[in-house]
Amino acid sequence: MQTNFSKSQLEDPEVREAERILRRCVHCGFCTATCPTYVALGDERDSPRGRIYAIKDMLEKGLDAKPEVSVHIDRCLSCFSCMTTCPSGVDYMHLVEIARKHIEKTGRRSLKDRLIRRALMEIVPYPKRFRWAMKAAPLGRRMSRTFRALNLPELAAMVDLAPAGAPRSGRFRGPGRASPTGVRTGRVIMLAGCAQQVLRPEINDATIRLFARGGIDVIVSAGAACCGALSQHIGHEEQAIKAAKINVDAWSKEIAKGGVDAIIINTSGCGTTVKDYGHLLKHETEYAKRAKDIAAMAKDVSEFLDAYDIGAPKRWSSLKVAYHSACSLQHGQRVTAQPKSLLKKAGYTVLDVPEGHLCCGSAGVYNILQPEISGALRDRKVANIKSLRPDIVAAGNIGCMTQLGPALDVPVVHTVELLDWAHGGPIPPGIEHLARYSTDVPQPKRSVEDYIGA
């Protein structure tokens, strides 16, 4: 793509980066076929190619963001399916982040939009605040219809997505260390997350149990917090940078002690962000090197376990598992085969969801800010899952689980919860009725020689 930035414009490092990205686009349009919003709406302006043209025009002309442009940028899910499809390697992820930051700096949002975005930023990344919000959700759910009548669909979506029951507490609560009972074979840092530890703390519990059985120390570092994804995705990069710095400082202290094999992340949306810390903090002199090193150490839980011997399963089942591949995992991190491979090795029958490349509509807080489009994408995903007639759905991202769970008639659990169950852990909550379809695997008896050598 030809660009016409002036020399003075190119003195701005963000404009230089945008120009570099724009020049790779060859207008081929392959991205339109895999873009969820274009598939749903059929509007070129809601495709990656259309947004690229709009961003180019806005930045080249030095224009303040106008509603007729920002509305289409806001509709982008940041699913990055376009990047998987693009034959030219256009770095759309960072281009749309530049555009969002420009919109927040120069555009004008309604008071309602500003308040909702601010509320999300001040509540969701903070577990204590989010827990209190979840406790109040049942009262808010009674007002769902009223919110819609008052043209507040975002608030209606917010309370509708909240779990019906009171938030639960996990068994393992950080910061701290969970150590294996047997021989220690490794040491990892785990990101405890923010929303996930409130919505489904059992995911962290299952991760820690699975690692401990494999001989791996799990560290939840004191001071570590939200990864910064939410703030970054709605254009508040300064908040994302602040969150990233907090984590880099916390994890650097643990890494300095030595022997850290990886930083484990079991929420793929967070994983995509942490793996990008090197880019996010590249202009922060005191953090750039450490951020790059930490990004290289970040691993999705399935990515790490696939390369690590966790032993044979202790429980076998005939359950059919529809594997939902979160966009942040398959497109953002290019982790695709590992979760399915682990589930198959654990004895499950794994089913591929049709149109698996299309987003379910969760996308962080997209299902709150864009409830209509999100709902249409959810319904499409649900129909594809139901066509498989699975017993259960597995996913690697809490956002997807929250989005799909209420709309399905089968339970949705995290991949690591199923792995933990197969390897001797408790049955994940919500699937107790499926326990009868599993059997314990006979464990080999130790020989006399084994006892002598012990």
Side-chain angles (χ1 to χ4, degrees):
M1 176 180 286
Q2 183 178 359
T3 58
N4 295 289
F5 291 99
S6 66
K7 289 184 179 180
S8 60
Q9 284 179 310
L10 292 174
E11 291 177 2
D12 183 331
E14 285 201 339
V15 173
R16 284 201 306 273
E17 183 179 8
E19 187 204 36
R20 175 185 60 80
I21 298 169
L22 288 166
R23 282 182 172 273
R24 292 192 71 94
C25 180
V26 296
H27 323 279
C28 67
F30 284 7
C31 57
T32 61
T34 58
C35 173
T37 50
Y38 181 76
V39 170
L41 302 174
D43 190 331
E44 174 76 13
R45 295 170 298 177
D46 288 309
S47 73
R49 183 171 62 181
R51 293 183 181 111
I52 285 171
Y53 276 115
I55 294 168
K56 174 181 179 293
D57 186 65
M58 181 172 62
L59 296 180
E60 268 188 350
K61 295 178 180 178
L63 301 173
D64 289 348
K66 297 179 180 179
E68 55 266 32
V69 173
S70 60
V71 66
H72 300 292
I73 305 298
D74 287 346
R75 286 178 183 168
C76 174
L77 293 131
S78 283
C79 70
F80 311 134
S81 180
C82 56
M83 293 178 63
T84 299
T85 310
C86 181
S88 302
V90 175
D91 187 3
Y92 180 83
M93 176 172 77
H94 293 124
L95 180 64
V96 79
E97 286 171 2
I98 292 170
R100 283 178 172 145
K101 189 160 73 167
H102 183 78
I103 289 169
E104 292 307 310
K105 283 183 177 180
T106 67
R108 291 185 178 182
R109 296 192 180 279
S110 67
L111 177 62
K112 180 190 78 169
D113 200 10
R114 294 199 305 273
L115 289 176
I116 290 172
R117 287 167 174 260
R118 175 55 61 181
L120 290 170
M121 284 179 54
E122 295 296 332
I123 295 174
V124 178
Y126 303 93
K128 289 183 180 179
R129 300 177 194 176
F130 191 44
R131 192 177 298 278
W132 279 108
M134 290 301 99
K135 290 180 179 180
L139 177 62
R141 194 174 289 110
R142 298 175 189 173
M143 299 180 64
S144 181
R145 291 184 179 179
T146 303
F147 289 146
R148 287 189 171 86
L150 294 173
N151 194 29
L152 295 170
E154 299 90 348
L155 293 183
M158 199 182 301
V159 296
D160 288 345
L161 284 165
R168 302 180 296 273
S169 295
R171 179 182 175 188
F172 302 99
R173 303 183 68 178
R177 182 179 71 183
S179 300
T181 54
V183 178
R184 182 180 299 165
T185 59
R187 184 167 175 262
V188 300
I189 296 170
M190 185 184 78
L191 173 66
C194 44
Q196 177 177 274
Q197 63 176 285
V198 176
L199 293 171
R200 196 168 177 94
E202 293 85 359
I203 297 171
N204 283 347
D205 289 352
T207 303
I208 290 171
R209 282 193 302 266
L210 192 59
F211 275 59
R213 266 188 240 107
I216 302 173
D217 267 348
V218 180
I219 311 294
V220 176
S221 300
C226 174
C227 67
L230 188 153
S231 301
Q232 187 175 26
H233 290 171
I234 60 176
H236 290 267
E237 190 178 82
E238 69 283 356
Q239 291 297 109
I241 289 174
K242 182 179 178 181
K245 286 181 176 179
I246 290 172
N247 287 333
V248 168
D249 283 337
W251 293 336
S252 293
K253 291 178 182 177
E254 201 62 49
I255 292 169
K257 298 176 184 178
V260 174
D261 300 301
I263 297 171
I264 300 300
I265 304 169
N266 53 22
T267 298
S268 61
C270 301
T272 301
T273 297
V274 175
K275 287 183 177 183
D276 197 47
Y277 272 5
H279 183 275
L280 181 63
L281 299 180
K282 65 181 180 181
H283 297 304
E284 304 292 326
T285 306
E286 296 181 12
Y287 288 86
K289 174 64 167 60
R290 285 186 293 155
K292 187 176 180 180
D293 292 342
I294 281 171
M297 293 180 67
K299 300 285 184 184
D300 181 75
V301 61
S302 66
E303 188 179 14
F304 182 88
L305 289 173
D306 189 60
Y308 189 89
D309 183 12
I310 57 176
K314 297 179 180 178
R315 190 175 288 114
W316 200 265
S317 84
S318 59
L319 294 175
K320 294 187 297 181
V321 179
Y323 174 69
H324 165 70
S325 185
C327 295
S328 46
L329 198 54
Q330 65 168 313
H331 302 307
Q333 301 182 50
R334 305 297 171 92
V335 175
T336 55
Q338 296 93 322
K340 293 187 286 186
S341 174
L342 287 165
L343 288 169
K344 290 175 182 176
K345 289 176 183 177
Y348 300 102
T349 300
V350 180
L351 309 174
D352 289 321
V353 178
E355 295 188 325
H357 62 283
L358 290 180
C359 185
C360 69
S362 172
V365 291
Y366 187 93
N367 48 8
I368 294 172
L369 297 176
Q370 301 285 342
E372 186 174 347
I373 301 172
S374 173
L377 292 172
R378 177 203 60 214
D379 293 346
R380 185 172 184 141
K381 181 67 69 175
V382 165
N384 280 318
I385 291 173
K386 285 184 175 180
S387 72
L388 300 173
R389 300 172 65 87
D391 298 307
I392 195 167
V393 177
N397 188 54
I398 186 63
C400 303
M401 294 169 63
T402 305
Q403 172 84 339
L404 296 173
L408 284 165
D409 53 8
V410 295
V412 183
V413 301
H414 197 286
T415 303
V416 80
E417 290 183 278
L418 289 180
L419 296 176
D420 177 51
W421 183 36
H423 286 268
I427 189 167
I431 68 168
E432 291 84 358
H433 62 289
L434 298 174
R436 65 182 183 274
Y437 298 109
S438 70
T439 57
D440 291 340
V441 177
Q443 298 300 307
K445 294 181 179 180
R446 300 181 71 182
S447 64
V448 174
E449 288 78 10
D450 291 331
Y451 285 102
I452 293 173

